[in-house]
Amino acid sequence: MPVISAPYAFNEGHLFVDLESICGQPLHLKCEGFNFAGSIKLKAANEMVESAERDGLLTPESILVESSSGNLGVALSMIAASKGYQFLCVTDSRCNLSTRLLMEALGSEVHVIADQDSNGGFLGTRIEYVRQLCASDDRYIWLSQYTNAGNWRAHYRTTAPEIAQQFPHLDVVFIGAGTTGTLMGCARWFRQWHRSVRIVAVDSVGSVAFGGEPGRRMIPGLGMSMRPPLLDESIVDEVIRVEEADTIRMCHRMARRGFLFGGSTGTVVSGATDWLARHDARGLSAVAIAPDMGERYLDTVYQTNWLQDLYGDHVLEDGGLDAVAEEVESATRTSERRRRS
Ligand SMILES: Cc1ncc(COP(=O)(O)O)c(C=O)c1O
């Protein structure tokens, strides 16, 4: 029985969902949402705060400041509340309402940026805002998840070995890319493993993280409006891009089976399912990472009006949901056929 006295001391690292009966492909999903911050970002937040403490950067007067689309902000709010630091999160209008309320409930200040940068995203504006804050008062300490090595090191130390322990014959891993902390930490660890593992990065259409045209992106977490400073493309085997409409469909498909995951999980699972369908997946050992759960997205990904306004009526018409149900049934039939053969 785990007994803890600090909220960041618990993190379920060994829970996987077998998705074969839902997506018709041999795919296991590593769930990173089972901790008190509700997301994979707890790992990066812990690592970055502990390393700043070791380096003597944090004093009782310090005010932590970070640019975050939400999940890192919640994790830092929780750690700051527990350790007695102040925290200011700079986010943007894409941040879910519930995520913002969570940060405030934990005692943090939240500043919401509404001006887009030249790539149509908010990152450039958010970072400039943080820079100005730090220049105005030296109590502000910016951990900078975009450049902090603690971000990828957290996954090198934990996420990748947790996968390897459960899947000793792993062939391919699908990892969503935001700051690329998760991607870089896992890729570096698997490059040193005894077995060759194909590292597939999953990005959203409209992100310029790996190049390409900037475009509208409404689902927070995945994708960047600039090249991620942590990214080393030489250790990534392949990049796949997923349309947000496919993300939404996959989220609803999993929800129809009782698994309510966050938006970026829909992106990663949709990309992974397509990839596996295009390759001979029989006998492959494949894992994807689910960064968070779905409750934070009830007013976006799982809300009818939001979906209709952004993606058109067809996404939610009866035909649309019936189609999702049909896909689920067909995936179940495929996976049963596979099991029998
Ligand atoms: C929901 C969600 N998915 C994916 C990511 C991307 O993770 P990373 O920043 O490690 O690339 C994040 C990061 O904030 C996230 O919050």
Side-chain angles (χ1 to χ4, degrees):
M1 175 181 71
V3 176
I4 56 167
S5 51
Y8 49 84
F10 170 78
N11 199 352
E12 171 57 62
H14 296 100
L15 179 67
F16 292 81
V17 176
D18 181 345
L19 286 179
E20 183 155 6
S21 69
I22 299 177
C23 56
Q25 299 294 338
L27 181 65
H28 284 85
L29 188 60
K30 183 177 195 311
C31 300
E32 291 282 352
F34 292 96
N35 59 58
F36 282 87
S39 86
I40 195 165
K41 283 297 188 175
L42 176 60
K43 289 174 165 177
N46 260 337
E47 189 92 16
M48 292 191 296
V49 170
E50 280 172 13
S51 116
E53 285 173 333
R54 272 196 308 274
D55 296 345
L57 287 175
L58 294 177
T59 66
E61 288 74 45
S62 297
I63 308 170
L64 285 167
V65 60
E66 186 60 69
S67 152
S68 164
S69 62
N71 279 340
L72 181 70
V74 173
L76 285 173
S77 297
M78 190 186 88
I79 294 171
S82 172
K83 294 191 171 192
Y85 299 118
Q86 288 183 68
F87 173 56
L88 190 165
C89 183
V90 179
T91 188
D92 61 62
S93 39
R94 273 191 329 215
C95 176
N96 299 325
L97 175 64
S98 55
T99 305
R100 206 178 84 205
L101 294 176
L102 260 174
M103 291 191 266
E104 287 169 350
L106 289 161
S108 301
E109 204 179 318
V110 182
H111 291 191
V112 181
I113 301 295
D115 296 333
Q116 292 189 331
D117 57 35
S118 52
N119 280 331
F122 295 93
L123 192 54
T125 330
R126 264 170 27 191
I127 289 178
E128 188 46 38
Y129 188 87
V130 172
R131 283 213 174 94
Q132 282 174 17
L133 277 177
C134 293
S136 72
D137 187 332
D138 55 18
R139 286 177 305 158
Y140 285 114
I141 302 291
W142 180 23
L143 296 172
S144 182
Q145 59 165 330
Y146 309 105
T147 53
N148 193 318
N151 184 357
W152 67 261
R153 226 186 291 119
H155 303 285
Y156 182 91
R157 279 201 316 100
T158 61
T159 313
E162 284 162 5
I163 296 172
Q165 195 188 341
Q166 303 284 321
F167 295 87
H169 303 294
L170 185 70
D171 296 300
V172 54
V173 61
F174 299 92
I175 306 170
T179 64
T180 69
T182 315
L183 177 65
M184 288 297 102
C186 291
R188 288 204 172 97
W189 195 90
F190 281 115
R191 283 284 172 267
Q192 293 168 2
W193 204 31
H194 62 93
R195 193 178 158 78
S196 157
V197 173
R198 191 156 186 84
I199 308 290
V200 181
V202 186
D203 196 10
S204 42
V205 169
S207 158
V208 300
F210 299 87
E213 283 302 302
R216 184 189 76 173
R217 290 178 297 114
M218 300 308 297
I219 297 169
L222 277 191
M224 287 268 266
S225 55
M226 65 178 196
R227 191 187 156 78
L230 291 178
L231 175 62
D232 172 0
E233 270 184 86
S234 71
I235 54 172
V236 177
D237 293 302
E238 207 174 322
V239 181
I240 50 182
R241 290 184 177 79
V242 175
E243 297 277 357
E244 286 195 337
D246 292 329
T247 294
I248 302 286
R249 284 174 69 78
M250 186 53 82
C251 284
H252 283 259
R253 188 162 158 181
M254 291 187 285
R256 280 282 176 120
R257 287 299 197 85
F259 287 112
L260 195 73
F261 283 109
S264 66
T265 302
T267 311
V268 177
V269 173
S270 173
T273 303
D274 277 2
W275 190 96
L276 291 165
R278 279 186 278 110
H279 294 73
D280 185 8
R282 265 170 309 177
L284 270 193
S285 175
V287 167
I289 298 176
D292 64 2
M293 305 301 288
E295 285 93 335
R296 280 175 199 172
Y297 303 84
L298 292 178
D299 55 353
T300 55
V301 170
Y302 297 104
Q303 215 247 339
T304 311
N305 292 345
W306 190 86
L307 291 179
Q308 281 177 337
D309 286 352
L310 290 168
Y311 306 100
D313 292 347
H314 64 281
V315 179
L316 285 168
E317 277 164 4
D318 277 340
L321 281 180
D322 284 349
V324 170
E326 267 169 37
E327 279 174 28
V328 171
E329 265 170 39
S330 137
T332 309
R333 281 196 298 274
T334 313
S335 92
E336 272 164 12
R337 259 202 313 278
R338 265 219 188 100
R339 238 193 302 276
R340 268 189 251 116
S341 66

